[in-house]
Amino acid sequence: MTEEAARIDIDDPEVDMDDAQRLLYRGVPFTGEVTEYLAGALVSLDVYADGVPHGLCREWYRDGTPRSEGVVRRGLPRGESREWHPDGVLSRRQVFDADGLTLREDDAWDETGRLTRSWRCPAEET
């Protein structure tokens, strides 16, 4: 038998934040999925562990088009994250190191898909 993952709505009146900025549900650091709805449409879904973002984080525009997607570990971004314009065209791509503190790549595109920025972290000298 598998246990269903806990899921709460961020607008639930029993959701709060503590002084350490951890998400609490009924006074306890929350582990599970946190959703947000706008006019009945799911606009975000984030995974939390012990009150801190830890897993896949996704956002959508109200029409269901992806808005952003990335992974966080203990509240810090890891690996590749992406953002899209409302029409579905990729608007930004970032790549973070395993430490979650170092940005390695940062690319941006305008609404037509034209690259407007491309940055790479300089290689460290050994």
Side-chain angles (χ1 to χ4, degrees):
M1 182 169 122
T2 60
E3 186 175 316
E4 191 172 320
R7 182 181 271 196
I8 60 172
D9 188 315
I10 194 69
D11 294 322
D12 186 308
E14 296 190 83
V15 172
D16 200 2
M17 296 290 270
D18 67 9
D19 292 338
Q21 296 302 302
R22 293 179 305 171
L23 186 123
L24 306 177
Y25 182 64
R26 298 181 177 162
V28 177
F30 181 73
T31 296
E33 297 176 336
V34 178
T35 61
E36 182 176 9
Y37 292 86
L38 184 61
L42 179 65
V43 293
S44 74
L45 176 63
D46 301 308
V47 177
Y48 278 72
D50 297 319
V52 178
H54 189 77
L56 186 60
C57 295
R58 297 186 296 177
E59 293 181 316
W60 297 268
Y61 291 98
R62 284 179 49 187
D63 69 358
T65 302
R67 184 178 194 143
S68 67
E69 181 176 278
V71 174
V72 293
R73 297 283 179 236
R74 296 189 173 118
L76 297 172
R78 303 293 166 86
E80 183 178 274
S81 67
R82 296 177 291 170
E83 298 175 19
W84 292 270
H85 292 287
D87 64 358
V89 172
L90 188 64
S91 67
R92 190 167 191 187
R93 177 185 165 275
Q94 295 181 307
V95 177
F96 292 87
D97 257 358
D99 65 8
L101 301 172
T102 306
L103 179 62
R104 288 286 166 196
E105 300 177 17
D106 190 8
D107 298 313
W109 294 266
D110 66 15
E111 295 83 1
T112 67
R114 184 179 62 88
L115 186 66
T116 59
R117 178 180 61 242
S118 185
W119 178 86
R120 301 292 180 266
C121 183
E124 295 179 13
E125 293 186 26
T126 56

